[in-house]
Amino acid sequence: MIWDEILVEHPRDILSARLHHHNSFWLGRNTGMRDGAARLQSSWDESVPGYGFLLGMHAFGLEESGDYGAAEIAARRAMELNSDDLWAVHALGHVYEMQERLDEGLDLLTVPEEAWADRNPMKEHLYWHLAMFALEAGDTDRVLALYDTAFYAEPTDFYLDVQNAVSMLLRLELRGVDVGDRWDTIANICSGKIGDHVLPFTDTHVMIALARRGYDMDIARLTTSLFEFASTEGNVAAGTMGSLTLPLCEAIAAYFKGDYRRCIERMLPIRLDYARIGASHAQRDIFAQILIDAAMKGGELKLARGLLSERLALRPRNGDNWAKFSEVLAGLGETDDAGNARQRAAEAFH
């Protein structure tokens, strides 16, 4: 990456550091985010303006690399040095998300309306994270209110807003929540983004919106566009198309058509490789949820049990996972274990 070369010569170039960090994020290079910021720290100290921003980047890289303890320490120090750094707040929010620390996450991100009024679109993404904590707590009314007033209050085609809106609507529906006509607005916006292909992660969310509304002509247009874009030389996003983005989009389209066998066939071989399309662990988790739901609806209950077992090992206090696990176990005739799982679900939501 060219930013690596620049930063070797100019380790205090904070703009290059930030661009390196965000390029690493969208390329799925978690250790690149972590190590890129760490590599610069010997040239900085707390007396240098901007050090808090560097520490916030390191915190997020640590979190995405799974070092939650070190990430929390770095994020808290970054926030002490620079309370305006929403990326450091974001890093700490991710730590809380991955460790199921719902109350702390809600407290962190519940701020007065005016507190972030002058901030860039990162604030909408933090409100999305607030909604994620509310969703995990079972407060779906608050999630819908945040959708309507905080992170998608006005229709926009900005890529991060599209990701936020699409993924939250689907997460709600996977929990049985009626989201009304909200899909109509975002699907119409996504219809105009079919040829963008700047970020593969956005392409997948465009497909979710189009497929959810049954826009068959647009689904075909997007699939063709992805296939054609895959032959673009020297483009990193194009490099993911054939092996990852296109099969994932095909799986999404199959899922919404009720072809769960096709969805599973396309998703299962690539499910450990999603990082290459960018975004965070928390954002990419929507794909895991689609695969589990396809397995449950498609009658592949043994597969669903295995996938849910993986999730519960990482998030043992997640009520939604326990509820789904109970349903799967009941379907497999394991009634005693299903009852225990129902009890765990009830305890998690209270």
Side-chain angles (χ1 to χ4, degrees):
M1 190 186 295
I2 188 65
W3 304 115
D4 285 304
E5 299 175 20
I6 292 171
L7 289 166
V8 167
E9 298 297 326
H10 306 283
R12 288 190 179 182
D13 184 342
I14 192 64
L15 177 59
S16 292
R18 182 68 88 181
L19 291 169
H20 175 278
H21 186 74
H22 285 293
N23 272 275
S24 296
F25 176 75
W26 289 115
L27 292 171
R29 296 174 179 173
N30 297 333
T31 56
M33 288 190 290
R34 180 197 65 195
D35 296 344
R39 192 162 54 243
L40 304 178
Q41 290 193 38
S42 63
S43 298
W44 292 69
D45 59 48
E46 293 187 3
S47 69
V48 180
Y51 179 73
F53 288 115
L54 181 65
L55 202 55
M57 288 184 273
H58 191 210
F60 188 73
L62 287 164
E63 181 278 324
E64 286 296 293
S65 300
D67 193 346
Y68 303 129
E72 180 170 354
I73 292 170
R76 289 187 180 279
R77 184 56 184 151
M79 292 164 62
E80 290 171 358
L81 292 171
N82 182 8
S83 61
D84 290 334
D85 185 6
L86 295 191
W87 194 250
V89 176
H90 180 237
L92 185 57
H94 268 267
V95 170
Y96 290 158
E97 169 76 18
M98 301 309 290
Q99 294 186 327
E100 298 186 291
R101 295 160 65 179
L102 303 187
D103 290 341
E104 291 170 276
L106 290 166
D107 288 344
L108 174 71
L109 299 177
T110 301
V111 299
E113 183 177 348
E114 65 275 9
W116 294 338
D118 62 342
R119 307 303 171 84
N120 65 28
M122 187 64 197
K123 67 179 183 293
E124 280 78 24
H125 186 61
L126 289 182
Y127 288 129
W128 178 85
H129 274 283
L130 177 59
M132 287 278 283
F133 286 116
L135 184 66
E136 293 300 313
D139 190 354
T140 56
D141 288 341
R142 187 178 187 188
V143 176
L144 288 170
L146 286 165
Y147 184 100
D148 292 335
T149 64
F151 66 86
Y152 207 66
E154 298 291 337
T156 167
D157 68 352
F158 181 61
Y159 76 95
L160 189 55
D161 293 337
V162 169
Q163 295 168 8
N164 292 339
V166 169
S167 66
M168 189 56 71
L169 291 180
L170 183 52
R171 281 175 164 88
L172 284 162
E173 289 196 331
L174 288 170
R175 294 190 179 217
V177 178
D178 183 355
V179 302
D181 61 359
R182 292 175 179 85
W183 280 113
D184 295 339
T185 299
I186 191 64
N188 288 335
I189 285 173
C190 286
S191 182
K193 295 183 70 65
I194 286 173
D196 285 5
H197 308 320
V198 176
L199 297 174
F201 187 71
T202 305
D203 286 327
T204 62
H205 284 63
V206 169
M207 179 60 87
I208 288 172
L210 299 177
R212 170 61 182 82
R213 290 298 293 121
Y215 290 179
D216 289 343
M217 291 183 64
D218 282 342
I219 292 168
R221 287 174 55 219
L222 178 56
T223 301
T224 299
S225 183
L226 292 170
F227 181 80
E228 292 174 348
F229 183 67
S231 63
T232 305
E233 296 183 1
N235 186 290
V236 174
T240 74
M241 292 295 151
S243 62
L244 193 60
T245 310
L246 187 55
L248 184 51
C249 285
E250 289 173 341
I252 291 165
Y255 170 81
F256 283 105
K257 284 188 173 295
D259 188 350
Y260 302 120
R261 169 45 45 193
R262 174 67 170 167
C263 176
I264 293 168
E265 287 174 348
R266 297 303 277 159
M267 290 188 89
L268 204 57
I270 61 174
R271 72 185 188 96
L272 301 181
D273 299 324
Y274 294 151
R276 290 198 299 115
I277 65 171
S280 67
H281 295 301
Q283 289 172 296
R284 293 190 302 267
D285 187 60
I286 190 62
F287 306 133
Q289 294 184 44
I290 291 171
L291 179 57
I292 288 169
D293 199 58
M296 293 176 67
K297 289 177 177 174
E300 299 286 345
L301 298 186
K302 290 182 179 179
L303 173 61
R305 177 175 59 185
L307 295 172
L308 284 164
S309 293
E310 289 180 0
R311 292 176 71 78
L312 288 166
L314 291 173
R315 297 192 172 194
R317 298 185 297 277
N318 185 286
D320 185 60
N321 288 337
W322 280 113
K324 286 183 169 65
F325 197 50
S326 172
E327 182 181 342
V328 168
L329 293 175
L332 290 169
E334 301 176 15
T335 54
D336 289 343
D337 289 338
N340 292 334
R342 279 194 299 274
Q343 180 62 32
R344 294 292 297 271
E347 292 170 355
F349 284 126
H350 294 87

